[in-house]
Amino acid sequence: MFKIGALASGGGTNLQAILDAVELGKINGEVVSVVSNKKDAFALERAKKHNVEAVYMSRKLFKSFDEYEDALISHFKSRNVDLIILAGFMVILSAKFTDAFKNKIMNIHPSLIPSFCGKGFYGLKVHEAVLEKGVKLTGATVHFVDSTADTGPIILQKAVEVKDGDTPEVLQKRVMEEAEWIIFPEAVRLFAEGKIVIDNNIVRRVD
Ligand code: GRF
């Protein structure tokens, strides 16, 4: 069985989309462990509701970031995960972690990469920047994770219209509903079925 591990810091609506897709049989796999750096992250409750292991592991519990990453690596290695999803994980992982699971970590970013991404572009800040620039289309991107923020190979993208009068909150909700919750489970499904390969940093579909 294809095993999925997850890292989350907040509400976990993207995690929910994946838990639902697994439950509906759309993803041929199982979520085996959800780890959060926030004790009260609702993502942990979502995991428990689906009888998935929910673990609180904060940087604060370790002497150094290095030891924290070691603990995360051994946690997921011991669960034999085939994929780790970053479902709103607000910690930047170093090359140590990303190399330990090379091409096996996926992230969802709420813009059309390479626009509005990289250092400082997270949460509502992304949507604020989109509105400030006045672009008419935004969207979401699922990509593999390498050691730099938002630069890994792009797996799926979906565009979403920016409308007059949008606030960052309204736009964030539309991007989630019309893009994130659709393309993240879809990317996991494709990967679990062996339907994507990385060729020279470019993701290609194999059907
Ligand atoms: C989402 O907007 C996602 O794109 C970003 O962090 C947010 C997480 O939201 N990486 P949720 O915890 O999945 O609801």
Side-chain angles (χ1 to χ4, degrees):
M1 186 63 109
F2 183 86
K3 292 190 164 83
I4 304 161
L7 283 163
S9 302
T13 60
N14 280 284
L15 171 69
Q16 188 66 56
I18 286 163
L19 289 167
D20 290 345
V22 165
E23 206 143 286
L24 289 169
K26 289 185 185 163
I27 293 173
N28 191 9
E30 56 177 333
V31 181
V32 293
S33 189
V34 175
V35 176
S36 180
N37 60 322
K38 299 278 177 205
K39 207 176 202 162
D40 54 0
F42 193 62
L44 292 175
E45 297 309 313
R46 294 182 192 272
K48 286 182 209 158
K49 263 188 211 146
H50 286 257
N51 292 319
V52 172
E53 175 186 56
V55 180
Y56 163 59
M57 252 177 161
S58 157
R59 155 74 185 88
K60 284 184 253 166
L61 306 172
F62 297 85
K63 266 190 246 141
S64 62
F65 189 72
D66 200 50
E67 283 184 23
Y68 178 48
E69 279 194 317
D70 278 339
L72 289 175
I73 292 168
S74 28
H75 177 83
F76 287 117
K77 291 272 182 202
S78 69
R79 268 80 179 158
N80 285 317
V81 296
D82 299 292
L83 172 70
I84 296 174
I85 54 163
L86 304 186
F89 189 53
M90 304 304 280
V91 175
I92 307 260
L93 297 158
S94 82
K96 180 180 194 163
F97 187 90
T98 55
D99 287 351
F101 300 98
K102 200 168 166 48
N103 297 333
K104 286 184 175 178
I105 309 171
M106 276 185 198
N107 182 47
I108 177 92
H109 182 77
S111 77
L112 293 173
I113 290 175
S115 291
F116 308 105
C117 64
K119 212 166 183 278
F121 285 99
Y122 60 87
L124 278 177
K125 288 185 193 294
V126 177
H127 306 291
E128 280 161 11
V130 161
L131 293 174
E132 216 163 276
K133 186 68 194 172
V135 294
K136 307 304 174 210
L137 279 179
T138 183
T141 303
V142 186
H143 63 94
F144 285 111
V145 175
D146 58 19
S147 59
T148 335
D150 303 329
T151 57
I154 292 169
I155 305 165
L156 290 176
Q157 294 188 296
K158 192 165 187 289
V160 173
E161 208 185 325
V162 180
K163 297 184 180 170
D164 282 350
D166 272 351
T167 62
E169 290 80 6
V170 166
L171 186 56
Q172 180 182 52
K173 187 165 177 276
R174 188 179 314 119
V175 168
M176 283 182 157
E177 288 172 351
E178 292 183 13
E180 295 184 41
W181 302 340
I182 298 165
I183 62 172
F184 208 9
E186 177 63 2
V188 173
R189 181 186 76 79
L190 291 169
F191 190 64
E193 292 177 9
K195 291 192 171 149
I196 45 182
V197 292
I198 304 174
D199 171 13
N200 227 350
N201 247 24
I202 302 290
V203 173
R204 300 197 193 285
R205 293 277 289 266
V206 279
D207 284 310

